[in-house]
Amino acid sequence: MSAGSLPRQDRVVSSSSGGGVSVVPVHIAMIMDGNGRWARARKLPVAAGHRQGAESVQQCVRTAIRQGVRYLTLYAFSSENWRRSAEEVGDLTSLLRFYLRHKINELHAQGVRLRIIGEPERFEGSLREELRRAEALTLHNTTLTLTLALSYGGRADIVQAARRLAEDAVAGKIAAESISEAMLDDALQTSDMPDPDLVIRTSGECRLSNFLLWQSAYAELVFMDVLWPDFGEVEFLEALSRFASRQRRFGGRPA
């Protein structure tokens, strides 16, 4: 997008009833935080928190569909998560594999398209193949696009986009002085989806943690104290209610 133009986003009116909100974001991005703290508070292994967190994902998908959300992007595994213990990384990847094997048919039946951004190539071969199959199976679904950010970092996303533009400039395909925000936007991994209207983070932390940094420039941010494994429909609707109450100016002034 060029300077002064609006982000790639819009609002839709939900046709849901029975407690739904009237204005919902087209694209919600979620930082799912608190699995470890949830498990430790119950004297359970961290893996138990991750498993319960996967159930929260299913609830969020169902609620997003009912409310008319079109894009849901989940920070499932950051590039920094590789610094965690080998045991926890193994638990996370095992859970991802379980999710793909046992939940993908439910997602497919719901009309959900699964997309992967980040660096899936960093995972071992059989998991990469399962990710590829899940994306292929759901490719033509249109009810909801569920994007999993795996080994993802917002700064790395911007760097790879800048590198692509620099390579094109060196090759003479584009003039360096012609590079615009819109061109960089198109070089990001998220170029085929609107920017997030709403970013939700659980567990009481109030930061983006390198998630969709460029794309969230005009997003509404909602930070909630609930730990991710306890996040369900009630919390989802609360976040939507906060979003609906805000006036979004995109740098301008209200009419």
Side-chain angles (χ1 to χ4, degrees), residues 230-245:
D230 291 326
F231 191 95
E233 182 176 19
V234 170
E235 291 75 20
F236 196 105
L237 293 178
E238 180 186 342
L240 292 187
S241 179
R242 292 192 201 179
F243 174 84
S245 70

Side-chain angles (χ1 to χ4, degrees), residues 129-185:
E129 179 58 24
E130 292 197 48
L131 290 168
R132 188 199 64 77
R133 285 199 299 266
E135 285 188 292
L137 173 67
T138 62
L139 178 62
H140 300 294
N141 293 339
T142 58
T143 300
L144 173 74
T145 296
L146 174 63
T147 301
L148 299 183
L150 297 174
S151 188
Y152 175 85
R155 288 180 174 180
D157 195 12
I158 296 169
V159 167
Q160 67 82 28
R163 185 179 295 120
R164 285 177 55 188
L165 293 175
E167 290 170 350
D168 286 347
V170 170
K173 296 179 181 178
I174 60 174
E177 61 270 19
S178 73
I179 295 174
S180 64
E181 290 184 18
M183 292 171 70
L184 195 146
D185 198 71

Side-chain angles (χ1 to χ4, degrees), residues 187-238:
L188 295 169
Q189 293 189 51
T190 55
S191 61
D192 60 344
M193 67 175 74
D195 290 340
D197 304 287
L198 170 63
V199 176
I200 302 169
R201 180 169 186 154
T202 59
S203 85
E205 303 293 345
C206 301
R207 57 183 179 272
L208 290 176
S209 293
N210 202 20
F211 182 49
L212 298 180
L213 298 179
W214 175 279
Q215 299 89 334
S216 298
Y218 285 96
E220 296 296 320
L221 308 180
V222 170
F223 301 110
M224 307 184 77
D225 290 333
V226 62
L227 300 176
W228 177 250
D230 291 326
F231 191 95
E233 182 176 19
V234 170
E235 291 75 20
F236 196 105
L237 293 178
E238 180 186 342

